[in-house]
Amino acid sequence: MYFCSHSSREPWRIIFAGGTAGTLCVLICFPFDTLKSIYQTSSKECYPRGVRSVFSEILQEGRMLTLYRGLTPFLIRAFPANAACFLGYEITIKVLNYLFPAL
């Protein structure tokens, strides 16, 4: 179910939708990726319970902003990269529908 037909979608709307979705995804997933990275770069003895140990240590030290360290470069990259990817997907779908209308 679509709110508008594929032919009426303007490129700037597609770019904005893809960029916004990618940026929101980065904002939501970034803390989990940071926990994983801290765990992977430490020795096994540091965090015996895995990522849970990393998270509990960050909570005990009151460093919640640690989860968002390095976010700025990701956000600078997120909007244009995801906008281009989404636009490329939509263009590909349009071309394939034109070439193979019966599918």
Side-chain angles (χ1 to χ4, degrees):
M1 171 183 274
Y2 296 104
F3 292 108
C4 62
S5 67
H6 281 288
S7 61
S8 69
R9 292 187 186 169
E10 298 168 359
W12 71 269
R13 289 179 189 258
I14 295 170
I15 290 169
F16 184 74
T20 303
T23 302
L24 289 175
C25 181
V26 166
L27 286 172
I28 292 168
C29 296
F30 197 80
F32 301 106
D33 190 51
T34 302
L35 288 172
K36 174 197 61 103
S37 297
I38 292 171
Y39 178 66
Q40 285 179 334
T41 57
S42 65
S43 64
K44 291 184 180 181
E45 296 82 32
C46 282
Y47 303 110
R49 291 185 0 220
V51 176
R52 289 178 294 176
S53 295
V54 177
F55 187 65
S56 64
E57 181 179 303
I58 288 173
L59 281 179
Q60 288 172 357
E61 294 178 4
R63 301 180 305 160
M64 289 303 290
L65 289 178
T66 300
L67 296 176
Y68 288 96
R69 188 184 308 153
L71 180 65
T72 304
F74 268 89
L75 287 179
I76 291 170
R77 177 194 150 277
F79 192 93
N82 289 291
C85 182
F86 199 64
L87 182 63
Y89 172 81
E90 289 290 328
I91 289 171
T92 302
I93 291 298
K94 244 183 207 183
V95 168
L96 290 174
N97 283 335
Y98 176 78
L99 292 174
F100 308 104
L103 295 179

